[in-house]
Each structure stands twice: as structure tokens, then as C-alpha cells.
Amino acid sequence: MTQTFDFIVVGAGMVGAAIANGLADQGHNIALIDQGRPPEFDDQGDPDIRVSALSVGSEHYLRDLGVWHQMLAMRATPYRRLSVWEARDHPVSQWLPGQPPRTTFSAADLKTDHLGHIVENQVTQGALWQRAEQQDTITLFAGSGVEGLTEQDDTAWVTLQDGRVISGRLVIGADGAGSRVRQLAGIGVTRDQYGQQAMVASVRYRGAPRDITWQAFHSSGPRAFLPLHDAGPGHAGESWASLVWYDDPATHAELKALPDADFLARVQTAFPDDLPPLTAVAARASFPIARQHAHCYYQGRTVLVGDAAHTINPLAGQGVNLGFQDARCLQTLLDEARRNGQDPASPSLLARYEEQRRPANRRMMLAMDVFYHLFSNQLTPLWAARNLGLGLAQTLPFGRNRVARYAMGLDDHLPAPVEALLRRAPALGRLTGL
């Protein structure tokens, strides 16, 4: 017997579970499908190797969904400063006195308590799943993926891998970069693979939790520090952090093969002096990075959100924040459609969603790509230009703070000079089709 819903959300990751809860809060009847099971949280266990830098804008959204307080009760680490600089590995830099120029964003300068929170993905997803299980208008279909998708007139049917069939007026694909929903809907993507990979490691260090996250750009790629929580009574005086190391696949294969002690010694030497003394590593993994953008965000009675629609270079950790912005935008439009008696799959409504979200997502994709290519290039004129730019950014607080507010999800547009850079940067020639 076919079960019928208003909306079918495929993918109960952070973005999918968020939009399912948001729509349910407005009284819509939701089917939430995921191949996995509800994530388990152990407050005494090691941190999840997957973490996200949640912006203040994402915090506001999660607070509206009723899960932010629960996330804070589990584990979430605020950061109040964000610093960016270029490491001294260019030949010319060896002859220059002093420290390389830095740009530091500060919550104090913005007259706010924090810039964002570093949160384990299992914390965010777990809180959203628990909220979904409490919602009378959400039916969870866990442990089964999607096998088929068909449409006729005003209805879409989704066939699960276990043979069950459910129907709804709109299917929301939130099932990640390899989206099965996107494939079934016949929506293509433009994909560009970077030559580098990103290695992530969960480490313990001596000292209290820090209030700063930083990123140093090396010729082989950036290396970043993301603070996490206190390590607990079993490790007095220690805290957890997540480290990110961009490099080529061969280097990462070598690093993953090292014993823990040798790995920590290698990291301590390779990272900037800002890195506190490391004491242990709990997990390490590397993954390829790619930029991907769907050719369109909707087709028929299917619409895409989050990584199903776009993936971004994780330089600034903006991927999930963009996904939450997608979810909030689509949720608002679907609520408006119901009030107006409009079909939720109306092409005019879904076109409005794409018109609002594609430029914003592309803007952030372009910004990350410009940073990637600009700082990966060792030509001396470019090296001099970017160091001058970092120095100037630090001395121009108004522009710096405008960029910070955009990254925090509080402003819709970057400062005009930055927008102009994105329009004129040579890297844009490589981005045709985004």
C-alpha cells in the first residue's frame, strides 16, 4: 500500500534532516529517507573526525529548528578569532624580516560574542534526527536507499530498495555529492577534480580549548587548525582539535602509513609554530576534493539542496553553511506556496529558488577557487601581490569586517572590491559552466 506525503526528503544528513524538520514545523507531512541509521553520540568518546565550522547564520537556523540548545549540551566549540596567513616557504620570503602578514577576523571587532562554532557532524546530525523522531508529521524510512523515481500529473513516486513505494507532491534530493535522486531526475553536473587531497586528523594537544581557528597557506596547500572541546577528566589539561592538511595523494599515503608517534612528530614540524604541543591522534583520513555544480537545481517534481546541488572546495568550511541556506530558502518558498494555494513543484516557484541560491553558491565557489589558485601559485609577482593583500586587509577593518559578516551568513553580498575581483580574476576562465 502506497503511503502519501506532502514532501519526500531523500537524505537525512545535516541539510536533509534540517529541511525535513523545518517543513514539519510548518505542519507539512514529511517522508525522510536515509540508507543509514540514527547516529549515536558518546560524550566520553573520541570526537567525530568529520567536523564543520558552523556560521552564526547556520546557528540562527538551527536555533529556529529547536536543536541548537541540544547541540550545545553535547559538544560545540565557539571560535572568536579566525586568522589567515601565508607560510614562509617562498624563496623570497626567507630574506624578509619579521613574521608574514596576517589577516585576523575578530568577534570583538564585529561586536559579537563569537564568529561561529566548530561542531562534530555527528552532533549536528544526531540532534536533527532526534528532533525528527519527535515530530508527529515526519515518518523516517531508515536503512533503505532509493531505487526508482517516477512522476505523473501532480504526484511523484519513490521506490525504495526494499520494495516499498511512497508518493508526494515534491521530492527533495539532499543525498550528497553522488546523489541518486539527481541521477534519477536526469540532472547533470559540471565537476572539476583538484590535484590535491585533504587529510583530516583528530588530535589532542596540551592546553585549554582555544578560541581561534587558523589557516596557513603553504605551496603544497593550506594547513588548518580547528579547536574542539576539553579532552575530559582522563586527560587533564588537554583538549581536542581537528587538523586539515592539503597535499598530494602520495604525501597523504605516506602520512597515513606512519605510526602515531611519527605522524604527530611530522605534523608538529610541518605545521606553523602556532600549533600547540600534540599528545595523541585518535583518527586520520584523507579524501579527494572537487568542485561540482548541478546544471539545474530542479527537474519536474524533484529539487536539489546542499551537496546534491553543489560541492565546494572546503578551504573555509562553507559547504554545510551553504546547504543550510538552501534549506532555509526552499522551506520559506514552500511555506509561501501553501499559503497561496500554489503547486509546490510549480516551475515558477522552483525557478525562484534557483535564482536565489545559484548566484550565492557560485559566488562562494568562485571565491574559494580564486583563493586556491592564487595561493597555490609560486610566481613571485603573485606571491608579492597576495602578501600585500593580506597586509592591507588587516589594516582596513571595514572591508575585513564586511567579508567576515558575509562568511558568518549575516550579509548577502561581499564588499564591491571583492565582487569585482571574482569577476575579473584569471581563474574564472577555468570555471566556465559553473
Side-chain angles (χ1 to χ4, degrees), residues 410-429:
L410 300 179
D411 284 352
D412 293 332
H413 297 287
L414 285 161
V418 179
E419 295 273 12
L421 172 65
L422 294 184
R423 287 195 298 269
R424 296 187 178 94
L428 298 188

Side-chain angles (χ1 to χ4, degrees), residues 359 362-371 413-432:
R362 185 172 62 176
R363 188 182 305 120
M364 187 63 75
M365 295 169 82
L366 294 177
M368 293 305 100
D369 205 73
V370 167
F371 266 97
H413 297 287
L414 285 161
V418 179
E419 295 273 12
L421 172 65
L422 294 184
R423 287 195 298 269
R424 296 187 178 94
L428 298 188
R430 289 184 286 272
L431 303 180
T432 303

Side-chain angles (χ1 to χ4, degrees), residues 108-126:
D109 291 342
L110 292 164
K111 296 180 173 52
T112 186
D113 180 65
H114 55 273
L115 299 177
H117 284 76
I118 309 298
V119 187
E120 299 158 66
N121 289 5
Q122 69 173 2
V123 168
T124 306
Q125 186 182 10

Side-chain angles (χ1 to χ4, degrees), residues 298 300 342-353:
Y298 66 95
Q342 185 181 14
D343 184 348
S346 163
S348 61
L349 182 142
L350 297 182
R352 286 175 59 198
Y353 163 67

Side-chain angles (χ1 to χ4, degrees), residues 47-48 51-54 75-83 116-120 201-205 207-215 224-231 239-244 274-276:
D48 185 0
V51 305
S52 297
L54 298 184
R75 290 195 293 237
T77 304
Y79 62 93
R80 297 176 173 86
R81 293 174 294 150
L82 185 157
S83 193
H117 284 76
I118 309 298
V119 187
E120 299 158 66
S202 298
V203 299
R204 281 204 317 269
Y205 64 89
R210 300 203 168 186
D211 72 345
I212 185 170
T213 179
W214 50 256
Q215 190 158 236
F225 170 87
L226 293 84
L228 295 173
H229 52 280
D230 184 278
S239 302
W240 287 104
S242 178
L243 303 182
V244 186
D274 298 62
L275 184 69

Side-chain angles (χ1 to χ4, degrees), residues 4-7 20-32 131-140 338:
T4 300
F5 301 89
D6 296 324
F7 303 115
N21 277 297
L23 291 169
D25 286 341
Q26 300 301 319
H28 300 284
N29 192 23
I30 310 298
L32 180 56
R131 175 66 179 142
E133 290 173 332
Q134 297 165 359
Q135 299 262 30
D136 292 337
T137 54
I138 294 181
T139 302
L140 278 163
R338 184 176 64 173

Side-chain angles (χ1 to χ4, degrees), residues 8 10 33 145-151 156-161 164-166 171 180-181 184-185:
I8 301 171
V10 182
I33 303 168
V146 171
E147 184 66 31
L149 172 63
T150 58
E151 299 179 14
W157 287 270
V158 169
T159 303
L160 304 183
Q161 291 173 336
R164 286 179 292 177
V165 178
I166 58 178
V171 176
R180 175 66 172 160
V181 168
L184 291 170

